[in-house]
Amino acid sequence: MRRVATASFVGTVIEFYDFGIYGTAAALVFPQIFFPALGQAEGTIASFATYGVAFVARPFGSILFGHFGDRLGRKKSLIATMLLMGVATILVGCMPTATQIGVAAPIMIVMLRVLQGLAAGGEFAGAVLFSSEHAPQGKRGFWSSFANLGGGAAIILANGTFFLTAVFMSDSTFTSWGWRIPFLSSFLLVIFGLWVRLRMDETPVFKKQAAQAGTSRMPFVEAFTNQPKQVLLAAGTVMVGFALTYIGGTYLVSYGTVVLELPRTFVLGMAMVGGVSISAGVVLGAILSDRIGRRWVIVGAASVAVVWALALFPILDIGSRTVFAIGLPVTMFISGVATGPQGAFLSELFHTRYRYTAAGLSYSLAGMLGGGVPPLIAASVIDSFGGFAFGCILAGVCLVSLTCVLTVGETRDLELDRDTAQTTA
């Protein structure tokens, strides 16, 4: 299990490092280099719009890579997602700016972001299933959480890379070409990640399914034939983690530097602390989920999140470094606790024949609604109506998750290789 968890962790670190550095760049530099004619506020909105495009693409990636993951195996699909993500990320680092090629620059950025979204849509479910389908039932929450831990480590790595460029470069140099370094550095990470994944063996649960009953010809159709309600409820349940992660790890980087006018190095340092906080929350949430159940851990985290969302921006608007140093990590910690049980929860909820597709689609739909929409509208809502108004929207997202998880039945005691008729919710 250590080797399996390490493979899941390392692969997800690399995938979501690639995915995450775009969000940091969108907050810090893309408004100036790809949307210079729009001004700071409008440029930030446009920059986060390109960031949000990937979340729209993610469900399609889940269907595409989930189809092959359910038919051909988890390993083959995971290798494909890493190749696609790596190529798209390196090309972002090579992109000409709007000053050089005009409107073609943001158009090309959107196209590359779509490719990143497709890859991310197929990545998480495969990484989670690789751990959960190897893990013993009583420790499934813990071992499945390593994919989520990879996401937390990716936040630290992405912000750390930008932090180092900010420390050793002037603002003008960073804006001119320094922002490209994190993207181009991805080449080495992708090579390492491919080496790790090529050495993996297929999961025993998938091999048993393929040997005994064969694989599904149309996993997407089977998922919505057998468990349509679970797909939608799972998406609603997972939204709270996405919303807090991408507000805390992406939008607050922009909010801290632009609105609160805090030093970029300080904000990036706090974003790295946020990566540590979300990782700690993931471990706590995963361990608790093995003891008291997935459902009640997510219920507790979502309940706290509703209250915290209402308080967050009024607290941040005090404007001090101390308050920001509390606000961002706490947001990420709550997100981590909600996220910790999700890998096991999504794996246990769906049948093996279409598990990759259904789990990935639920996760990606949650990402599109919870992770893509709030950062996209945050700047305009806060600019027009204030931070508390946006906090109400964020609390509403968390409340949807709370309602959905209260509706879903507990999954902890379900076998992963159970018959299709044995479902929950």
Side-chain angles (χ1 to χ4, degrees):
M1 280 310 306
R2 290 191 184 94
R3 181 182 175 187
V4 168
T6 299
S8 179
F9 172 80
V10 170
T12 310
V13 167
I14 295 166
E15 286 270 5
F16 285 96
Y17 166 81
D18 287 358
F19 194 77
I21 54 176
Y22 190 101
T24 305
L28 295 177
V29 71
F30 281 4
Q32 291 86 14
I33 63 174
F34 291 118
F35 305 98
L38 297 181
Q40 184 62 53
E42 290 78 8
T44 300
I45 294 170
S47 183
F48 276 109
T50 68
Y51 178 72
V53 162
F55 289 94
V56 178
R58 283 176 80 151
F60 298 98
S62 297
I63 295 170
L64 173 65
F65 291 106
H67 178 85
F68 293 108
D70 283 322
R71 282 188 56 77
L72 305 178
R74 315 326 189 187
K75 176 180 175 178
K76 292 181 176 68
S77 195
L78 283 171
I79 291 170
T81 61
M82 177 162 286
L83 280 171
L84 181 60
M85 179 70 83
V87 170
T89 302
I90 293 165
L91 290 177
V92 170
C94 298
M95 273 292 302
T97 66
T99 304
Q100 295 169 317
I101 62 171
V103 72
I107 293 174
M108 292 171 66
I109 276 288
V110 168
M111 294 172 62
L112 293 174
R113 188 61 178 161
V114 168
L115 294 181
Q116 283 190 321
L118 291 173
E123 163 62 26
F124 179 80
V128 161
L129 297 191
F130 194 78
S131 292
S132 65
E133 290 184 350
H134 276 96
Q137 182 173 336
K139 296 289 186 179
R140 199 180 290 145
F142 173 73
W143 290 115
S144 298
S145 71
F146 276 79
N148 295 110
L149 280 176
I155 293 172
I156 299 170
L157 185 60
N159 286 288
T161 308
F162 278 99
F163 178 84
L164 291 175
T165 57
V167 168
F168 293 106
M169 293 180 180
S170 65
D171 287 349
S172 60
T173 302
F174 176 77
T175 303
S176 176
W177 59 268
W179 65 271
R180 299 181 186 274
I181 294 176
F183 291 92
L184 298 176
S185 300
S186 175
F187 173 77
L188 297 175
L189 295 175
V190 170
I191 296 299
F192 176 67
L194 286 173
W195 176 74
V196 170
R197 288 194 165 171
L198 286 169
R199 297 173 69 241
M200 299 188 309
D201 191 17
E202 188 53 76
T203 73
V205 173
F206 177 81
K207 288 191 290 187
K208 179 181 177 181
Q209 170 70 36
Q212 293 184 354
T215 58
S216 172
R217 292 182 59 84
M218 294 295 293
F220 176 76
V221 174
E222 280 202 41
F224 273 93
T225 298
N226 294 314
Q227 292 183 279
K229 182 172 70 171
Q230 285 89 340
V231 170
L232 298 177
L233 286 172
T237 297
V238 173
M239 279 202 306
V240 59
F242 268 109
L244 294 182
T245 297
Y246 285 97
I247 287 299
T250 299
Y251 179 71
L252 288 188
V253 174
S254 173
Y255 192 79
T257 54
V258 176
V259 178
L260 302 180
E261 298 182 342
L262 298 171
R264 189 172 71 217
T265 52
F266 170 76
V267 172
L268 288 171
M270 287 303 100
M272 286 189 285
V273 175
V276 175
S277 297
I278 195 172
S279 298
V282 165
V283 173
L284 176 61
I287 292 173
L288 284 176
S289 78
D290 281 329
R291 296 182 179 181
I292 65 174
R294 326 298 181 207
R295 184 189 193 193
W296 294 113
V297 173
I298 301 173
V299 165
S303 300
V304 173
V306 171
V307 178
W308 180 250
L310 295 173
L312 177 60
F313 283 92
I315 291 173
L316 290 177
D317 285 341
I318 295 172
S320 73
R321 294 191 185 195
T322 301
V323 168
F324 191 84
I326 295 172
L328 191 153
V330 169
T331 301
M332 300 297 275
F333 179 78
I334 298 170
S335 172
V337 175
T339 301
Q342 288 177 4
F345 167 76
L346 291 172
S347 298
E348 293 159 349
L349 193 60
F350 301 109
H351 188 263
T352 308
R353 287 176 59 84
Y354 48 79
R355 179 175 292 133
Y356 198 135
T357 300
L361 184 58
S362 296
Y363 190 77
S364 294
L365 288 173
M368 183 173 67
L369 298 174
V373 174
L376 175 61
I377 66 173
S380 58
V381 171
I382 290 173
D383 187 57
S384 301
F385 304 104
F388 181 74
F390 177 72
C392 292
I393 296 173
L394 189 60
V397 173
C398 300
L399 190 60
V400 169
S401 288
L402 179 59
T403 303
C404 288
V405 74
L406 286 170
T407 305
V408 175
E410 179 57 61
T411 64
R412 178 180 53 163
D413 297 325
L414 292 174
E415 296 287 348
L416 292 186
D417 56 357
R418 67 189 182 275
D419 183 77
T420 312
Q422 294 176 295
T423 61
T424 185

